[in-house]
Amino acid sequence: MAEIKVQNLTKKFGDFTAVDNVSITIADKEFVVLLGPSGCGKTTLLRAIAGLGMADSGVITIGGRDVTYLPPRERNLSMVFQSYAIFPHMKVFDNIAFGLKMHGADQKEIDKRVNEAAELLHIENLLDRFPSNMSGGQRQRVAVARGIAMKSEVLLMDEPLSNLDALLRLEMRAELKRLLAGIDATTIYVTHDQIEALSMGDRIAVMQSGVIQQCAHPTTVYDLPDNHFVGSFIGNPPMNFFHAQVEKHDGKILAKVGDYHITPHQVMAPLLQKYEGENMMMGIRAENMETLDSPADDALKVQVLVVEPLGSQNLLTVRIGDDTVKVSTHPDLKVASNDYVWLRFPADKIRWIDRESQRVIYPS
Ligand code: ATP
């Protein structure tokens, strides 16, 4: 059992707080991705779990054992770094065997584990080569092979695909996912690439400014972000946000965009009362609006600013009030710049956001 539990962890560099009172539990054999923009504290948190940077406060347990003050080698984990960190003067075999040797494994065991790891990563024919004679992708595989050869119960990976070109990255992403599913380690995987996070993680912990903003299954993080930041960080295009004025009409509470009324979901309506007279933020994904090429009573008229044909969809840029919104449409819908289209907003796809706290108040 290798559950990782981080409780109230804070790490500062001088006056700067890189990780701010973070708590997260990663279940045994779970694959959690730490995702967030550059500088949000992902690597600092991972390094603290690895024992490579002592936390200022907080507790870290692995498999129920308090490791907060233990050095890395006593934490029984493997780490794969962004920069490969493979030794240029050692052949691939010795690079993969390095950790095993350090742990005093006998030669027979070393041979077995190195060959197994090399086979899994399809680099068995490279064992006799020096890293300088290999491509970036092959070196990256060596680094991953070294990480998994240890068969540690915990695997920490920091942007292991970051040095690869886009195509190789795409290939390796799927390969790595297959591989990690087969080795049963509790894994924390750091990336700033949200597609990688969505496609690989059992759960995604989205970080900003040293704080975990949301930790949930990829589809939850995508569809039901807890706040504006998560919606704006996840997805390509990110979630759209526009503003609407909350008003009462004929005793019914609703949100107005120009002359257009958005009637809230019946569960939402009572929550909306306290926003009467205020401006509220609404969030909706590009693919969740319905686009019509002729007027309808329940649809908002908007002018198309830009049409981007992307093959499987056309991405329209329109304006709703003062906000720019991206709308995904079927390529068969023939629209050009400056045309008008009419948008429907299904009630169950709208996320209602409190402007002050930036939190999604419905659905939550
Ligand atoms: P990236 O995706 O760019 O690697 P990250 O989310 O992993 O970013 P960290 O490397 O954890 O971010 O850094 C978090 C913050 O802490 C950054 O602002 C960084 O400049 C700062 N930081 C990291 N290490 C140190 C250090 N040794 N001394 C001072 N500041 C540091």
Side-chain angles (χ1 to χ4, degrees):
M1 285 288 283
E3 177 195 76
I4 303 170
K5 201 166 196 161
V6 175
Q7 291 165 80
N8 306 104
L9 190 115
T10 293
K11 172 73 184 172
K12 295 185 178 186
F13 296 108
D15 287 343
F16 178 76
T17 305
V19 174
D20 192 358
N21 197 28
V22 161
S23 296
I24 182 171
T25 300
I26 296 119
D28 182 43
K29 300 185 176 49
E30 192 182 18
F31 186 146
V32 167
V33 177
L34 294 182
L35 174 73
S38 183
C40 71
K42 308 178 293 289
T43 295
T44 307
L45 176 57
L46 195 77
R47 286 175 59 85
I49 295 169
L52 295 169
M54 209 51 90
D56 291 291
S57 57
V59 176
I60 303 167
T61 60
I62 298 179
R65 190 168 64 113
D66 187 341
V67 300
T68 315
Y69 299 105
L70 294 183
R73 67 177 179 283
E74 289 176 33
R75 297 190 181 201
N76 191 21
L77 46 79
S78 302
M79 189 153 173
V80 180
F81 295 94
Q82 184 169 10
S83 55
Y84 319 147
I86 55 177
F87 304 110
H89 60 283
M90 284 185 193
K91 288 185 173 175
V92 168
F93 183 98
D94 297 315
N95 259 293
I96 300 175
F98 183 77
L100 293 164
K101 279 188 185 158
M102 295 290 283
H103 276 74
D106 64 38
Q107 193 58 45
K108 210 170 141 204
E109 186 65 11
I110 291 174
D111 288 348
K112 181 170 167 273
R113 297 242 203 129
V114 170
N115 283 310
E116 265 174 18
E119 228 171 85
L120 275 171
L121 282 137
H122 307 307
I123 48 171
E124 59 271 46
N125 55 338
L126 301 178
L127 289 172
D128 219 20
R129 280 215 210 157
F130 284 103
S132 55
N133 301 333
M134 298 186 326
S135 71
Q138 290 167 332
R139 274 180 241 170
Q140 196 93 64
R141 283 165 206 239
V142 174
V144 175
R146 188 175 57 190
I148 64 167
M150 296 288 293
K151 291 202 177 156
S152 307
E153 288 186 313
V154 172
L155 184 58
L156 306 179
M157 308 182 104
D158 190 355
E159 307 244 14
L161 307 183
S162 62
N163 294 314
L164 308 182
D165 66 47
L167 195 61
L168 196 53
R169 201 176 167 125
L170 194 72
E171 259 175 47
M172 275 291 283
R173 191 171 80 200
E175 261 186 62
L176 204 53
K177 185 171 175 171
R178 172 189 59 81
L179 187 80
L180 294 176
I183 64 169
D184 271 355
T186 307
T187 305
I188 306 181
Y189 184 103
V190 164
T191 182
H192 62 267
D193 181 331
Q194 40 112 4
I195 301 296
E196 213 163 278
L198 286 168
S199 69
M200 294 179 83
D202 291 328
R203 277 189 304 155
I204 304 177
V206 186
M207 284 187 80
Q208 183 200 27
S209 307
V211 174
I212 294 181
Q213 301 287 332
Q214 184 171 8
C215 184
H217 187 272
T219 53
T220 306
V221 169
Y222 181 83
D223 196 35
L224 295 168
D226 274 352
N227 59 35
H228 175 260
F229 172 77
V230 174
S232 64
F233 191 74
I234 304 272
N236 185 13
M239 182 171 267
N240 292 299
F241 299 98
F242 61 93
H243 292 81
Q245 180 77 11
V246 179
E247 288 180 9
K248 220 172 222 168
H249 273 265
D250 300 332
K252 281 195 185 139
I253 197 98
L254 44 80
K256 266 183 90 174
V257 183
D259 296 336
Y260 180 74
H261 292 174
I262 297 180
T263 309
H265 194 280
Q266 57 183 11
V267 181
M268 170 65 197
L271 296 172
L272 211 52
Q273 305 281 354
K274 73 169 186 174
Y275 293 93
E276 190 180 341
E278 289 179 28
N279 219 302
M280 182 152 223
M281 200 192 287
M282 333 275 282
I284 191 161
R285 291 259 172 222
E287 67 274 22
N288 286 338
M289 284 164 278
E290 197 183 330
T291 313
L292 315 172
D293 55 7
S294 55
D297 283 348
D298 59 345
L300 171 70
K301 181 181 180 184
V302 291
Q303 189 167 24
V304 177
L305 305 179
V306 183
V307 180
E308 294 170 80
L310 301 177
S312 60
Q313 56 162 322
N314 285 347
L315 198 61
L316 314 183
T317 304
V318 306
R319 280 191 87 71
I320 298 182
D322 292 332
D323 303 292
T324 302
V325 167
K326 303 278 187 192
V327 185
S328 169
T329 61
H330 197 278
D332 289 347
L333 186 84
K334 299 294 171 218
V335 271
S337 305
N338 298 322
D339 284 356
Y340 286 95
V341 292
W342 287 259
L343 300 178
R344 274 200 189 118
F345 303 89
D348 62 338
K349 297 297 183 193
I350 297 176
R351 311 294 170 238
W352 299 73
I353 300 155
D354 180 302
R355 283 183 65 186
E356 206 172 306
S357 67
Q358 303 271 299
R359 296 202 70 76
V360 175
I361 58 162
Y362 182 83
S364 66

